[in-house]
């Protein structure tokens, strides 16, 4: 049996800029690792339709180089690291720190978010789960 959750029900999180028109914020949550509680940070859920139709954020130019980040301890077995990335807020790029993600099924692996060049600037491609 897991002990009671940490006294703070949730951690204060500030969502990064919305990555697409219909993206929905999924708040972070605590998970029991078998020996301690671990925090899984919140993230934006981007509908596949937004990606297919090109409704994700566009920027006028490529973001700066990625930053190197210290990876915190894995909060539970099977969690995947999503490295930090840049997000455009309409005026400038903001750094979004990396975080651990929990796959919806053990047969999936995480593909990190990235930017793709287009004739009209660069377009954000959010991270996603794919089959191994």
């Amino acid at each position: 049996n897991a002990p009671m959750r940490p006294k703070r029900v949730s951690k204060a999180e500030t969502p990064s800029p919305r990555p697409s028109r219909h993206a929905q914020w999924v708040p972070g949550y605590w998970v029991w690792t078998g020996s301690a509680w671990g925090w899984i940070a919140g993230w934006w859920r981007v509908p596949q339709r937004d990606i297919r139709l090109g409704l994700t954020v566009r920027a006028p130019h490529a973001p700066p180089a990625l930053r190197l980040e210290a990876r915190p301890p894995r909060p539970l077995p099977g969690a995947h690291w999503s490295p930090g990335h840049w997000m455009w807020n309409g005026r400038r790029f903001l750094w979004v720190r990396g975080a651990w993600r929990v796959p919806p099924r053990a047969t999936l692996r995480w593909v990190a978010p990235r930017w793709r060049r287009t004739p009209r600037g660069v377009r954000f491609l959010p991270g996603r789960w794919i089959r191994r």
Side-chain angles (χ1 to χ4, degrees):
N1 283 341
M4 289 182 15
R5 288 180 188 242
K7 288 188 181 191
R8 280 192 260 157
V9 173
S10 63
K11 290 186 174 186
E13 293 184 303
T14 303
S16 60
R18 184 183 295 266
S20 76
R21 186 174 298 167
H22 301 105
Q24 295 180 321
W25 179 251
V26 178
Y29 57 94
W30 291 100
V31 293
W32 177 246
T33 67
S35 60
W37 286 99
W39 179 255
I40 299 297
W43 71 93
W44 286 104
R45 181 179 294 135
V46 179
Q48 284 299 314
R49 185 170 189 267
D50 280 15
I51 298 167
R52 243 187 354 268
L53 296 176
L55 301 177
T56 56
V57 170
R58 291 185 186 273
H61 55 82
L66 294 176
R67 294 180 178 175
L68 292 177
E69 293 183 299
R71 189 182 295 195
R74 184 184 308 260
L76 70 154
H80 293 256
W81 178 249
S82 175
H85 62 277
W86 291 102
M87 181 53 73
W88 182 252
N89 73 355
R91 295 184 310 273
R92 64 187 176 98
F93 282 101
L94 301 174
W95 181 251
V96 178
R97 293 175 47 170
W100 289 101
R101 302 281 175 242
V102 177
R105 291 185 306 276
T107 58
L108 301 177
R109 72 174 177 88
W110 181 252
V111 175
R114 62 193 186 284
W115 289 87
R116 177 181 287 163
R117 291 189 186 282
T118 72
R120 296 180 13 217
V122 292
R123 185 168 67 107
F124 182 70
L125 297 173
R128 67 190 191 286
W129 295 105
I130 64 168
R131 289 188 184 138
R132 292 180 189 245

